[in-house]
Amino acid sequence: MKFSITTTPPEKLRSDCVVVGVFESRHLSSAAARLDKQCGGLLSRLMEQDDMKGTIGETRLLHNVPHALCERIVLAGCGKRDGFGDAQYRKAITAAVNMLRDTGAREAVICLPELELKARDVAWKIRQAVLAAHNALYRFENHKSKKQAASKLHHITLATTERHKPADAVRALREGEAIAAGSSLARDLGNQPSNVCTPSYLAAQAKALQKAHKKIKVSVLEVKDMQRLGMGALLAVARGAKEPAKFITLEYHGAKKTDKPIVLVGKGVTFDSGGISIKPAANMDEMKYDMSGAGSVLGTLAACATLTLPLNVVGVIPATENMPSGDAVKPGDIVTSLSGQTIEILNTDAEGRLILCDALTYSERFKPDVVIDIATLTGACVIALGKHPSGLLGNHAPLVHDLIQAGETSGDRAWELPLWDEYQDQLKTNFADMSNVGGREGGTITAACFLARFTKKFHWAHLDIAGTAWHSGDKKGSTGRPVPLLMHYLLQRCQ
Ligand code: BES
Ligand code: MN
Ligand code: ZN
């Protein structure tokens, strides 16, 4: 999809389709009012005849409106004017794009970015419009022998009335496109079945990014390298699998060599069967998305490189399957992590923290400014917070604050949970330095407490994306989150 920007007023647009907003109850936005005037009040009359009120997500398609220069007009409901906020803006764009997909229009102009939104500038509206449009048009049909008829729509123009700062709008458009592409990559990887998306496949994806972007350098450690280093926790998870584990590092250099990097660590369990502590059969297929943390790291690194951000960013991806077998790690087994701390593995299904702890220790070598890990880590997070925010815990308040802020701005939100010392007791065991599970209470927090024991040497935050990386139900599939959150955090750091 090609995107561009225009400041031409709606009545002068010779377009296949013009999308304008309508508020409840039948209050025209200024773009809608200008078109209405041009066609002698027809829009207002049609809305009444057709009983369109302007509720959020409502749409109407009008053809051959007399005196209009455009071929079609889409009226997009925006809800009540005084309740019009970030979420409504995104919803109206999503509904409009869903409608546009099937109209036969090859190109369309969306006038919604001219609507006023409290505390949001043109750049924000453009970025969000591009993201919402991309998200609505995304399809994953790699494995369907009959593809859905491709939409004719190939060009969306965003109309804004702000003539000043055109450079900001163009920059925002590029940012939106890069974030959308990164988030699509993450979605594709999450949707790929585990017989395609293996640890080797993730490594190949990283290599492909290296090939596409001069500023990305990739290295892949093999099992024997991990043995040499002493990654006993990661290797314990990898034991049961036939697919060889890979430890992938991507380094994006956009700033001076001496600038400390931001390190992103992504959980890359390409299939989580639970191992010997095997999961129940129902919905086990969904555990192909247990590499979504890794997918979001790849998507974010790609977007950084596309935008040539003036930062150094490192991606670290421990990638493996978690499988039962005669050679698999067993409950009660004790392993030594890369940090030297010993772990009694009481539940082989708590594997995410085992691969992450070695990746976190490994991150020390980059002398990081901050480390953020991203992981579909606990079912408990979905119970605690549902699927709207990612869970967020960390050892450095300013970093946690910045991530919450980036979540609010991007609409890809996170909510903090307490990382208090009191919870650490739940990881006590008689047989090793710690156990890998802390019982049913506060499962997301005890998982983070476990990771906290490996992050004492740097500023660190943890995003639990078990609830946000995946849609269940009829929209079943990967969401591409939290690429928008991470990218907004990084963009903020460039200011
Ligand atoms: N990958 C799962 C977490 C998960 C569950 C993600 C549901 C998305 C949806 C993780 O490896 C896991 O199995 N966690 C266990 C931890 C428990 C054994 C302490 C869980 O959440 O049940
Ligand atoms: Mn598990
Ligand atoms: Zn898992």
Side-chain angles (χ1 to χ4, degrees), residues 272 279 349 351:
D272 182 10
K279 288 181 181 293
D349 197 11
E351 85 296 342

Side-chain angles (χ1 to χ4, degrees), residues 208-280:
L209 290 183
Q210 166 172 263
K211 200 154 181 214
H213 303 279
K214 278 206 288 292
K215 290 185 177 174
I216 292 183
K217 244 181 45 211
V218 171
S219 78
V220 179
L221 300 183
E222 307 295 330
V223 168
K224 60 178 190 321
D225 303 315
M226 297 178 232
Q227 280 163 345
R228 188 173 40 76
L229 285 166
M231 296 182 161
L234 197 172
L235 289 166
V237 178
R239 276 186 75 122
K242 260 206 171 147
E243 282 295 333
K246 304 278 167 177
F247 192 94
I248 307 160
T249 309
L250 306 95
E251 292 177 66
Y252 165 72
H253 280 289
K256 295 194 301 275
K257 269 228 159 71
T258 50
D259 274 17
K260 289 180 163 186
I262 296 149
V263 177
L264 305 176
V265 178
K267 173 178 174 183
V269 173
T270 57
F271 189 73
D272 182 10
S273 69
I276 296 297
S277 315
I278 200 161
K279 288 181 181 293

Side-chain angles (χ1 to χ4, degrees), residues 141-160:
E141 299 191 311
N142 299 28
H143 304 287
K144 299 241 192 208
S145 30
K146 277 208 186 90
K147 319 274 184 229
Q148 241 182 46
S151 167
K152 292 213 174 85
L153 186 68
H154 71 277
H155 185 182
I156 293 177
T157 303
L158 300 168
T160 139

Side-chain angles (χ1 to χ4, degrees), residues 182 185-186 189-190 202 266-267 291-300 317 483:
L185 172 60
L189 293 171
L202 289 177
K267 173 178 174 183
M291 39 50 66
S292 295
S296 72
V297 169
L298 290 169
T300 301
I317 297 174
V483 172

Side-chain angles (χ1 to χ4, degrees), residues 11 122 155 181 266 315 386:
E11 71 278 10
V122 189
H155 185 182

